[in-house]
Amino acid sequence: MNEPIRVVVLDDYLDAVTRSADWSVLAADVVTVTRHIADEDELVAVLREADVVVATRERTRLGRSVLERLPRLRLLVTTAMRNAVIDLDAASERGVQVCGTRGNKRSTVELTWGLVLALLRDIPGQQQALREGRWHTRLGVGLEGKSLGLLGLGTTGSQMAAIARAFDMDVLAWSANLTAERAAACGARRVERDELFARADVVSVHLVLSDRTRGLVGARELALMRPSSYLVNTSRAGIVDQAALVTALETGAIAGAAADVFEVEPVPASTPLLAAPRTVLTPHIGYVTAEEYRLFYGDVVDDIAAWLAGSPVRTLNDPAPPHERKP
């Protein structure tokens, strides 16, 4: 009888992966790693005997230098259909199939509005004051009649726009290729980037991190915002210049900021944004819901089963055949 394949699941911080899907349908030895492994040598040691590695989107970097040291690896499954920290070329050269999963962007939209409301109404601060015996320590800010500026009007941005209209907000939007017609169809108005920063009461980031968007929100853009305006980022930390953001918060150039994403995750205690005033910060939980986990890891199990049957699904690369694989 063939031995079961070995599956290693990375970054299962909540020890929830095995409870989120029926792994028993696989003839597999499933091992979950409930902490983040930053050291490359330690990571290789943990993964060396794995036939299949399961990665959560953009938590652990699986670059060429790691993949070249994993001779048994044949399948790499990531949650969602994009993972910028997986070297697809290196995986293909080594004959490693990479597959993804479905995802529901609504969970990130829900968290974004939670952050907006928590920030403008100072919910964390008021709760802390209440626990300390203080009553009414800060005036909140309402949403009705305010302007929401969306950087990006794709699936997530368009869902943000729909909810903003329920709050009777004016919705402004910008992205490099956004047309006035597309914006209008989503209930928004296309404006130039500088106008968005200057006019929006809340700027919310919904762009994919790329060479074009890295550092898009910098000191210049933050200076265009008013002292009564807020910035919310649930996309990727690299889109916002973190040092410039901390400066804007410390000097009062903007009223506050909320973030669910950071340049280094898990976040080191020395990260300057953690000490910045008027912030609401969460540990990249935009997709961390029971429903999303069931979708992610149900698809992961399906991906592994389909690969074992010789018909991989939701493929992200075209691996080299055995005779062309690099040793």
Side-chain angles (χ1 to χ4, degrees):
M1 180 181 294
N2 293 331
E3 292 186 3
I5 61 168
R6 184 174 180 82
V7 178
V8 178
V9 182
L10 293 171
D11 296 303
D12 182 16
Y13 303 147
L14 296 171
D15 195 17
V17 167
T18 56
R19 302 194 306 272
S20 300
D22 182 8
W23 294 80
S24 68
V25 301
L26 301 174
D29 174 20
V30 180
V31 177
T32 62
V33 181
T34 56
R35 61 188 177 87
H36 180 68
I37 302 175
D39 181 78
E40 186 171 296
D41 289 338
E42 183 182 0
L43 179 63
V44 169
V46 169
L47 299 181
R48 192 183 306 278
E49 301 302 317
D51 302 289
V52 178
V53 170
V54 178
T56 299
R57 183 179 175 186
E58 289 162 24
R59 284 184 178 174
T60 293
R61 181 171 295 279
L62 295 167
R64 182 177 296 275
S65 59
V66 171
L67 296 176
E68 288 180 344
R69 299 166 65 187
L70 303 177
R72 284 188 54 168
L73 181 62
R74 286 295 172 262
L75 175 65
L76 175 54
V77 183
T78 176
T79 57
M81 292 299 288
R82 182 189 295 118
N83 193 331
V85 297
I86 292 176
D87 190 326
L88 290 177
D89 290 338
S92 297
E93 292 168 11
R94 298 190 60 76
V96 177
Q97 178 71 69
V98 183
C99 297
T101 72
R102 294 170 295 169
N104 180 6
K105 294 185 179 181
R106 177 68 70 173
S107 59
T108 299
V109 173
E110 292 173 356
L111 178 74
T112 305
W113 279 110
L115 291 176
V116 171
L117 292 167
L119 184 63
L120 272 66
R121 298 298 296 271
D122 188 35
I123 293 172
Q126 294 306 302
Q127 175 179 252
Q128 186 62 32
L130 181 64
R131 293 182 186 280
E132 295 171 354
R134 293 176 290 141
W135 192 259
H136 291 194
T137 62
R138 177 181 159 191
L139 280 174
V141 176
L143 294 178
E144 182 181 1
K146 299 295 193 302
S147 294
L148 173 67
L150 295 170
L151 288 176
L153 198 61
T155 302
T156 304
S158 61
Q159 292 176 358
M160 288 290 298
I163 296 172
R165 294 197 305 275
F167 283 116
D168 287 330
M169 299 183 75
D170 182 33
V171 184
L172 312 175
W174 174 89
S175 68
N177 299 314
L178 179 64
T179 65
E181 294 75 17
R182 162 67 181 172
C186 295
R189 180 159 49 89
R190 187 198 182 281
V191 297
E192 295 302 322
R193 188 173 64 177
D194 284 2
E195 183 181 354
L196 184 145
F197 283 103
R199 294 190 55 186
D201 296 292
V202 178
V203 175
S204 190
V205 182
H206 300 283
L207 296 167
V208 174
L209 179 62
S210 65
D211 291 341
R212 185 169 62 179
T213 62
R214 185 176 295 279
L216 182 72
V217 183
R220 176 184 173 279
E221 289 72 26
L222 292 167
L224 292 172
M225 296 175 66
R226 288 167 286 127
S228 59
S229 300
Y230 299 83
L231 178 72
V232 179
N233 185 9
T234 55
S235 182
R236 289 295 179 266
I239 297 171
V240 179
D241 183 322
Q242 299 295 291
L245 176 58
V246 170
T247 298
L249 290 164
E250 291 177 343
T251 61
I254 63 174
D260 186 47
V261 288
F262 302 87
E263 289 183 316
V264 178
E265 298 179 359
V267 182
S270 60
T271 301
L273 188 58
L274 296 182
R278 301 181 308 283
T279 56
V280 177
L281 308 173
T282 50
H284 206 156
I285 58 172
Y287 56 81
V288 183
T289 66
E291 295 81 5
E292 193 80 344
Y293 266 43
R294 285 195 290 269
L295 180 60
F296 277 164
Y297 295 105
D299 278 4
V300 166
V301 171
D302 288 345
D303 285 354
I304 297 172
W307 173 75
L308 287 171
S311 301
V313 295
R314 291 182 284 268
T315 59
L316 300 178
N317 71 333
D318 185 16
H323 66 278
E324 295 180 6
R325 294 173 185 172
K326 290 193 174 182

